[in-house]
Amino acid sequence: MSDNVVHLHKNPDTTPEPTTNVTTLTVVPEPRRVPLWVRSGRAIRRAAAHERTRTVGRMTVRHTTYVLGGTRIVARRAWDGRTAARYERMLRAAEAAGNYEVAQEWEERGQRYREARHRRRMDLLTSPVDAAKGAGVGLGIGGLLLLGIALAVATKDASDVVTPLMAVVGLIRLLITIVQVTWGPLITVGPLLALLGLWEVGRRAQAAPYWALPDNVRSSEGEPITSSIVVKALRDLGVAPLSRAIKEMGDAGASMLGPIRIAGCGVEVDVTLPSGVSAIEVQQRRRKLAENLTRHEHEVFITIPKAARTVRLWVADSGALDEPIGPSPLVTDETMTADYGKGKAPWGQDLRGDAAALSLYQRHLLITGLSNEGKTVALRSLALWLALDKSVAFLMGDLKGVGDWAMFDGLARTLIQGPTDEHVIQVTEMVEGTVAEMNRRIQAPPGTQFPPLIVLVDEAQVAFMCPAKDEDKRPYGGSKANSRYFMAVRKIHNQGRAVNVLMWQGTQDPTNENLPKLVREGAHTRVSLALGTESQAPMALADKAVDGGAAPNLLRPGLDRGTLVVASDGIAIPAGQSSITVRTHYIPDDDAVALTDRAKALRDGVTTLHVIEQGEERDPLADIAAVVGDAPRVLTQTVLQRLAALNEDAYGRWSFGDLKRVLEDAGADPYKSDGRMVVGRDRVARALANRDAEGSASADG
């Protein structure tokens, strides 16, 4: 039948002829009907979107699965109690773990259990006869009759002979009556009580999907980490051999786990993997493991300890890593001092919440990461601590030039700030001057002790990428054998450590071009903040640390600012690991200024050079006055070092004899103070004044 309806009506606009009626046929389509199943689906979708519907649905699923889960738990307990299933599971778990001695022990226990069970079953065959003998039925009836006879003699009533026996019969009849009365309600209520008991068992075990649990249990903080949750997470990781081994072990999969330990703002557990499963397979599935543990990826860290076929999981409390750590002890403890040789810089906290301190003694340092992740602040906090040791001297080049290191003016001997090629040239000459100082120290008599000299270059990638060349066409940047900055850094890496000349560099977004391989490998302490790609992690930390689980590329840019991965023997790293993750203290600029003021107060006064000038006529006496600064007297050895840093070409090869000659000619002879030769500020200033006065008089004449 057609869905269309034909309507007949007369055309009002047509004048009919006398003999004929004209009729127009109009076909009007009937509205299309929506199928019932479509309307039902839309209704269900709208209902599912309602919060009340979702709440009722969760409650229904929750209580249903409580009963099912409780039934499963009770059945498993009953089965374990009546069979040797428990021993079989433990046996399979020990075999899967490769621990055959424990497997043999469980096999023996299971055999003893079977023998004891067999004896109990054999005893059941003779138990009715033994029970009858033990109860003494015939003797019991005879006893009742004897008691009745005694009662009849006492009462002189023969009917009392059967009174005890009838009392027992009456008691039995009463019990039967009670059972008959209560049997019906028990049949009705018993299943309900059993159902309620199963529900309670399931509720206590939280045997329901996590999304269906009540709000006070299901929170944004994630589930607490338990052995069963870790085993389930590993089972569902997608590693087939691991899943099969855990399924064969049953609940005994927890035997793979060591004790779950509280570790700072999270927990830590060692997992012994079954045979055929490698640690790298688990490491490669970090995100899925985190999701199985109801955590974000950055809240789960996987490292490889010393034990074979073992991974160490550290799982943070949900959201804990997003909370800031406390202020630096450098800021809170105004009495703190530093010791370059024996002390450690308070840098932050590890993931366990323990203080993370770094030794800087005779270690070249490299820190890298993406831009705006806290690299400069982390590097600066180390320099601020070390500045509290007055024996330490700094030569600094800031190739960003926005004032991050301005507070070291008056503390560092040299401070160059700026991003241009001219600044790169000055920084290169500063590093080359340090090489000359290093060579001078190396040539000193054996056993000579030298104060530490830290050469710090921030944004060093600017120097490596600099296209400028000198008069001899030697490039300042690059990584070739004639690249000036590269070769100077390499020389310090090769020999500087032995004479306390150290190279610290901060770089950004490392590549083979802006951070050459030989420079990377020359650093003893390698540090990385968040990186953009996995291929950058070995550049920052070396293959050993990355193979051991270090993954700075998994840190979240912008969210994990100040969190870094350290590979160094100068920091306490858990046994078996090759790196450690540290959340550094943030030291604001104002606090940094206060710290440098404290460091300046420890020193006699340092004149900071801002520009290193080359190829011009020098005034030795004026330069000596400049490097002496405001200090009343300065050791001659220190004056020589400062002159070399001021201008390597002019003073790099100076000896004590050269310095003495200039001072004696000017009438500012060096003298002994506390048994050591020094240069007096007042003598040099007086010699300069006299020379200027004589020069003026000559000009007037």
Side-chain angles (χ1 to χ4, degrees):
M1 179 180 293
S2 174
D3 291 335
N4 297 329
V5 179
V6 179
H7 297 274
L8 299 178
H9 61 85
K10 292 183 178 181
N11 190 345
D13 297 331
T14 305
T15 304
E17 295 182 1
T19 59
T20 306
N21 289 332
V22 180
T23 304
T24 303
L25 295 177
T26 305
V27 180
V28 180
E30 186 176 281
R32 187 175 180 181
R33 296 181 180 179
V34 179
L36 179 61
W37 65 271
V38 175
R39 295 198 302 271
S40 300
R42 292 173 180 172
I44 292 173
R45 187 169 63 252
R46 286 195 297 268
H50 198 279
E51 178 62 30
R52 184 180 300 172
T53 304
R54 291 199 297 268
T55 302
V56 173
R58 284 198 301 267
M59 183 177 64
T60 303
V61 172
R62 178 168 68 248
H63 293 293
T64 302
T65 51
Y66 277 170
V67 175
L68 297 176
T71 303
R72 186 185 70 254
I73 293 171
V74 171
R76 175 56 65 87
R77 291 174 181 173
W79 180 257
D80 287 347
R82 301 292 298 175
T83 67
R86 178 185 295 108
Y87 302 96
E88 292 292 337
R89 284 200 308 274
M90 300 303 292
L91 173 62
R92 290 196 300 270
E95 288 178 343
N99 197 338
Y100 297 106
E101 293 182 359
V102 176
Q104 184 177 2
E105 180 181 350
W106 280 111
E107 185 178 10
E108 293 174 356
R109 291 185 181 183
Q111 187 62 33
R112 289 196 297 269
Y113 171 81
R114 293 186 184 92
E115 292 174 356
R117 183 180 61 184
H118 177 71
R119 287 195 299 270
R120 289 194 302 270
R121 289 177 177 176
M122 295 301 295
D123 291 342
L124 288 176
L125 297 177
T126 58
S127 59
V129 178
D130 295 339
K133 292 180 179 179
V137 176
L139 186 61
I141 295 175
L144 290 174
L145 289 176
L146 289 175
L147 180 62
I149 293 171
L151 183 62
V153 172
T155 59
K156 298 180 180 180
D157 186 355
S159 61
D160 287 340
V161 173
V162 295
T163 297
L165 186 60
M166 296 306 297
V168 173
V169 172
L171 178 61
I172 295 173
R173 183 181 298 170
L174 177 62
L175 293 175
I176 294 174
T177 302
I178 293 173
V179 170
Q180 289 176 340
V181 172
T182 60
W183 184 251
L186 284 176
I187 292 177
T188 303
V189 178
L192 297 178
L193 293 176
L195 198 64
L196 182 61
L198 295 174
W199 175 87
E200 178 64 17
V201 172
R203 186 189 67 82
R204 289 182 179 276
Q206 297 294 332
Y210 181 70
W211 56 268
L213 294 175
D215 292 337
N216 61 341
V217 176
R218 179 180 55 85
S219 66
S220 60
E221 297 179 356
E223 295 179 271
I225 300 301
T226 62
S227 298
S228 60
I229 288 176
V230 175
V231 171
K232 290 178 183 177
L234 293 169
R235 183 194 63 195
D236 300 335
L237 200 55
V239 181
L242 179 60
S243 300
R244 284 197 302 269
I246 293 176
K247 289 177 181 178
E248 291 175 358
M249 289 186 277
D251 288 345
S255 62
M256 298 190 307
L257 309 183
I260 297 179
R261 306 176 293 272
I262 300 296
C265 56
V267 296
E268 187 178 74
V269 59
D270 287 349
V271 181
T272 302
L273 300 175
S275 178
V277 181
S278 65
I280 191 66
E281 292 180 285
V282 178
Q283 280 186 308
Q284 291 174 344
R285 292 167 172 80
R286 179 188 178 194
R287 173 173 294 182
K288 189 170 185 179
L289 178 61
E291 292 172 352
N292 292 347
L293 294 169
T294 65
R295 295 294 189 273
H296 296 292
E297 183 178 10
H298 71 278
E299 294 174 329
V300 175
F301 287 81
I302 305 172
T303 55
I304 301 176
K306 284 184 177 180
R309 230 173 52 237
T310 302
V311 293
R312 178 168 294 160
L313 306 181
W314 184 87
V315 185
D317 299 335
S318 186
L321 295 183
D322 297 327
E323 298 293 331
I325 64 174
S328 171
L330 288 172
V331 176
T332 58
D333 185 1
E334 295 184 357
T335 63
M336 177 174 285
T337 58
D339 186 340
Y340 164 76
K342 299 179 181 178
K344 290 189 174 183
W347 211 7
Q349 295 179 0
D350 62 16
L351 296 179
R352 300 172 62 92
D354 299 330
L358 179 67
S359 173
L360 303 173
Y361 177 68
Q362 292 189 344
R363 291 178 177 88
H364 302 302
L365 185 144
L366 172 65
I367 180 170
T368 186
L370 294 177
S371 176
N372 199 31
E373 289 300 313
K375 168 179 56 63
T376 297
V377 173
L379 182 60
R380 189 177 68 183
S381 66
L382 296 178
L384 289 171
W385 175 80
L386 196 56
L388 297 178
D389 184 341
K390 64 180 182 180
S391 68
V392 178
F394 293 95
L395 303 176
M396 292 184 169
D398 175 15
L399 294 178
K400 184 190 296 182
V402 295
D404 290 333
W405 299 89
M407 66 286 300
F408 281 84
D409 191 358
L411 182 59
R413 293 181 182 176
T414 303
L415 178 60
I416 301 169
Q417 302 179 87
T420 67
D421 290 350
E422 182 63 29
H423 292 99
V424 171
I425 293 172
Q426 294 178 14
V427 167
T428 301
E429 292 170 347
M430 176 188 75
V431 178
E432 290 175 337
T434 307
V435 173
E437 166 62 17
M438 176 189 72
N439 292 333
R440 187 191 66 80
R441 292 185 177 191
I442 292 173
Q443 295 169 6
T448 305
Q449 298 296 318
F450 299 100
L453 177 61
I454 309 298
V455 185
L456 190 154
V457 179
D458 196 12
E459 305 297 341
Q461 77 279 355
V462 177
F464 287 114
M465 299 299 290
C466 178
K469 296 183 179 180
D470 61 12
E471 302 83 8
D472 299 326
K473 304 300 181 181
R474 295 175 58 200
Y476 287 93
S479 57
K480 297 182 179 179
N482 63 343
S483 299
R484 293 181 58 177
Y485 180 79
F486 169 75
M487 291 306 298
V489 172
R490 287 289 298 138
K491 290 175 182 178
I492 295 176
H493 278 173
N494 289 338
Q495 296 179 299
R497 175 178 175 272
V499 289
N500 285 331
V501 176
L502 304 179
M503 190 78 206
W504 291 7
Q505 294 183 98
T507 69
Q508 188 180 117
D509 199 13
T511 65
N512 287 322
E513 289 73 27
N514 65 24
L515 187 57
K517 185 172 186 279
L518 291 177
V519 172
R520 301 194 303 257
E521 294 179 349
H524 302 98
T525 297
R526 298 174 69 167
V527 183
S528 178
L529 294 104
L531 294 175
T533 63
E534 184 177 356
S535 62
Q536 290 178 311
M539 296 183 187
L541 298 175
D543 292 332
K544 180 181 178 181
V546 174
D547 292 342
N553 53 293
L554 296 180
L555 295 174
R556 302 167 299 166
L559 297 177
D560 290 325
R561 186 177 291 116
T563 300
L564 42 81
V565 183
V566 185
S568 172
D569 61 351
I571 193 170
I573 297 178
Q577 296 180 206
S578 54
S579 65
I580 187 171
T581 301
V582 176
R583 303 172 67 199
T584 58
H585 296 294
Y586 174 70
I587 301 180
D589 289 348
D590 292 342
D591 292 331
V593 171
L595 286 169
T596 52
D597 289 342
R598 286 168 50 190
K600 293 172 187 177
L602 298 175
R603 292 164 170 80
D604 294 332
V606 176
T607 301
T608 299
L609 305 178
H610 296 277
V611 177
I612 299 177
E613 300 176 349
Q614 298 284 344
E616 66 177 31
E617 191 70 24
R618 307 298 307 185
D619 182 350
L621 188 61
D623 287 343
I624 292 172
V627 299
V628 169
D630 297 331
R633 63 189 67 86
V634 179
L635 294 175
T636 54
Q637 182 180 356
T638 302
V639 172
L640 287 171
Q641 294 172 1
R642 294 180 182 179
L643 287 172
L646 177 64
N647 192 297
E648 171 62 21
D649 293 340
Y651 304 115
R653 297 182 179 277
W654 266 35
S655 64
F656 173 72
D658 298 318
L659 177 63
K660 182 179 180 182
R661 173 180 50 79
V662 171
L663 292 174
E664 287 179 346
D665 292 344
D669 301 24
Y671 60 95
K672 282 191 175 182
S673 176
D674 296 329
R676 304 184 68 182
M677 296 300 294
V678 298
V679 177
R681 177 193 60 190
D682 294 339
R683 292 189 180 188
V684 175
R686 187 163 51 249
L688 272 176
N690 293 337
R691 188 188 67 177
D692 293 341
E694 292 174 0
S696 299
S698 299
D700 292 340

